[in-house]
Amino acid sequence: MEFLWSHSGYQHVWPEMEFGWRIIVGTLIGILGATCGSVGGVGGGGIFVPMLILIIGFDPKSATAISKCMIMGAAISTVFFNLKLKHPTLDRPIIDYDLVLLIQPIILLGISIGVVLSVMFADWMITVLLIILFIGTSIKAFFKGVETWKKETIIKEETVKLLESTASCSGEEEYKCLPDGGPQKETRKPEGTIIGNIYWKEFGLLCFVWLAHLVLHVAKTYTPSCSIAYWILFLLEIPPSLGVYLYEAVGLYQGWRAIASNEGQITHWKLHHLILSLMCGLVAGIIGGLLGIGSGFVMGPLFLELGIAPQVASATATLGMTFSASISVVQYYLLNRFPVPYALYLTLVSAIAAYIGQRIIDKLVSVFQRASLIIFVVAFTIFISTIALGGIGISDMVMKIQRNEYMGFEDLCKYAG
């Protein structure tokens, strides 16, 4: 117990911000991470964190905090792009507000827990958890992409045969592989307006939960750590998150709300499905706050498993990630976990790269008629993140063992930012 708990005094490493090869290479890698992360709706934190540690020179916990800033910038830019788009086959926005309203309030609650754990957990503990999670998720996403690719190929072949056998066909109709694998003629939906594509009631509820968490986090900053008042404020985060979740969950259970993005109008959800979504949201938030990655690393693959079209899954996960990443940034800022100049610069870089990446992938999916490209980007981003973060974590763990350094828990009550 003395080995695990008695030590305290984590030292942050914040390099000076000066023009040189480090900031140039870091910027290029940040652009790559933001582009891939925004396309797949997974954030890119798995690429940002290794870059910040190995190239720029930050310590792991500061890198985690700045990574959240970059994820927030990329997410805001991507949401702005997606707000103008329509669902690929339905006359509705590409973002499924009911789906994000079901899971995002719980994610915000989980992030608060994850940020606390990130202060307490040793780096090697985070590394082991990250490797286990990312390997499973990347493999699952890859096979989902292969399955979707095969379905799209079948649909393309059927479309060619249909066009060849129908002399009157103009050749301008497009067919798209939906998540259930069935052929569906696609009517290309025109872009809408940003104002018209926002479901204001659902968006307002998300903002309410975000604001409630923000106020409580600010209040905790002026409260002594581990005091009774501190933990009361921590527990007060539960009612707004759980209340909004229950509003959506009861609606889905009774059938007066629906998840319409998979063409099947998912209503009358079973109780175990709602409990599963609650647990997934909590785990996604804890992992996001603990590892410094976007909660989209969990949300994106989860939405794909629910049968949501890849474009919709990516856009919906990114909206949720905007709320979750921004609340993490506020918490890390209040804990004095990152230098502001570096964070502002890298956030701007990721925002610009994410917007460009969205335009590129939207054009590629439209030209090749393969939404599976988005799934492969998800799998690729998670796999690269596993190698990068896992390699850094293992290397750091071996060096600490050789130097006989402390590798136990930090004391949350003595943490000073």
Side-chain angles (χ1 to χ4, degrees):
M1 292 299 296
E2 182 178 351
F3 168 77
L4 288 176
W5 289 102
S6 63
H7 182 81
S8 184
Y10 185 89
Q11 297 297 317
H12 290 292
V13 179
W14 292 359
E16 293 291 332
M17 187 174 181
E18 55 185 13
F19 183 78
W21 73 268
R22 291 182 180 274
I23 198 167
I24 293 175
V25 175
T27 299
L28 294 176
I29 297 177
I31 291 173
L32 173 65
T35 302
C36 294
S38 65
V39 167
V42 294
I47 297 176
F48 297 150
V49 172
M51 176 272 291
L52 291 165
I53 295 174
L54 294 179
I55 306 300
I56 305 297
F58 285 98
D59 66 282
K61 292 188 177 181
S62 297
T64 297
I66 297 180
S67 167
K68 275 296 184 183
C69 297
M70 299 179 70
I71 291 170
M72 180 186 68
I76 292 174
S77 176
T78 304
V79 168
F80 177 77
F81 178 85
N82 288 331
L83 281 176
K84 299 180 292 184
L85 301 181
K86 290 286 189 179
H87 190 285
T89 57
L90 297 175
D91 187 18
R92 59 182 292 117
I94 195 171
I95 298 173
D96 191 317
Y97 290 89
D98 283 293
L99 186 58
V100 75
L101 189 62
L102 176 67
I103 195 170
Q104 189 58 38
I106 301 301
I107 288 178
L108 291 177
L109 178 61
I111 283 177
S112 297
I113 301 174
V115 170
V116 170
L117 293 178
S118 73
V119 175
M120 299 171 56
F121 277 30
D123 293 335
W124 69 268
M125 303 174 191
I126 297 176
T127 299
V128 172
L129 175 62
L130 182 145
I131 292 175
I132 294 174
L133 172 70
F134 279 19
I135 288 178
T137 305
S138 62
I139 292 175
K140 188 72 172 177
F142 175 77
F143 283 112
K144 183 69 176 180
V146 171
E147 178 187 351
T148 305
W149 179 279
K150 291 179 179 178
K151 291 178 180 179
E152 290 170 338
T153 301
I154 294 174
I155 299 305
K156 280 178 170 288
E157 293 174 351
E158 292 179 352
T159 303
V160 171
K161 293 179 181 178
L162 179 63
L163 294 176
E164 291 176 348
S165 62
T166 307
S168 61
C169 180
S170 65
E172 295 179 355
E173 293 177 329
E174 297 177 349
Y175 284 79
K176 177 179 172 58
C177 176
L178 296 179
D180 61 2
Q184 173 72 35
K185 186 173 74 173
E186 178 185 11
T187 303
R188 188 72 176 176
K189 302 295 181 184
E191 290 187 358
T193 62
I194 294 179
I195 301 299
N197 278 346
I198 297 178
Y199 285 15
W200 291 102
K201 181 179 179 180
E202 289 77 5
F203 187 77
L205 287 172
L206 289 171
C207 291
F208 161 73
V209 178
W210 185 91
L211 186 60
H213 281 270
L214 176 62
V215 171
L216 291 170
H217 292 321
V218 173
K220 283 192 297 184
T221 305
Y222 298 98
T223 305
S225 297
C226 299
S227 65
I228 296 178
Y230 177 90
W231 292 116
I232 290 176
L233 290 172
F234 187 86
L235 293 176
L236 285 177
E237 297 180 38
I238 298 177
S241 292
L242 192 59
V244 173
Y245 165 80
L246 289 176
Y247 165 77
E248 182 69 23
V250 171
L252 291 172
Y253 183 77
Q254 296 181 349
W256 47 272
R257 298 197 71 85
I259 305 296
S261 291
N262 72 337
E263 304 269 339
Q265 291 281 345
I266 306 179
T267 58
H268 297 287
W269 278 41
K270 297 184 182 300
L271 184 60
H272 67 276
H273 288 154
L274 294 172
I275 295 176
L276 178 62
S277 66
L278 174 67
M279 299 305 299
C280 288
L282 192 61
V283 170
I286 292 175
I287 291 173
L290 179 61
L291 304 182
I293 61 174
S295 54
F297 269 92
V298 177
M299 279 195 294
L302 173 63
F303 293 164
L304 292 173
E305 287 300 311
L306 290 175
I308 306 298
Q311 304 98 310
V312 180
S314 174
T316 304
T318 303
L319 176 63
M321 195 163 51
T322 303
F323 286 96
S324 58
S326 60
I327 203 72
S328 293
V329 169
V330 172
Q331 293 183 70
Y332 284 134
Y333 175 77
L334 295 175
L335 288 171
N336 193 30
R337 289 279 292 272
F338 60 82
V340 174
Y342 249 122
L344 289 176
Y345 169 72
L346 293 173
T347 299
L348 179 62
V349 168
S350 62
I352 296 173
Y355 189 84
I356 295 174
Q358 281 297 313
R359 297 194 69 89
I360 293 174
I361 196 64
D362 184 64
K363 179 64 67 174
L364 290 176
V365 171
S366 177
V367 171
F368 294 103
Q369 288 295 295
R370 287 192 180 273
S372 56
L373 292 173
I374 297 176
I375 306 178
F376 284 123
V377 171
V378 172
F380 170 78
T381 306
I382 297 176
F383 178 72
I384 294 299
S385 302
T386 306
I387 296 176
L389 288 175
I392 289 176
I394 292 174
S395 174
D396 182 66
M397 182 170 56
V398 171
M399 293 177 62
K400 284 187 175 182
I401 292 175
Q402 292 176 343
R403 295 194 297 259
N404 197 29
E405 292 185 11
Y406 174 77
M407 296 177 63
F409 290 99
E410 296 290 334
D411 190 340
L412 172 66
C413 300
K414 296 180 180 180
Y415 181 74

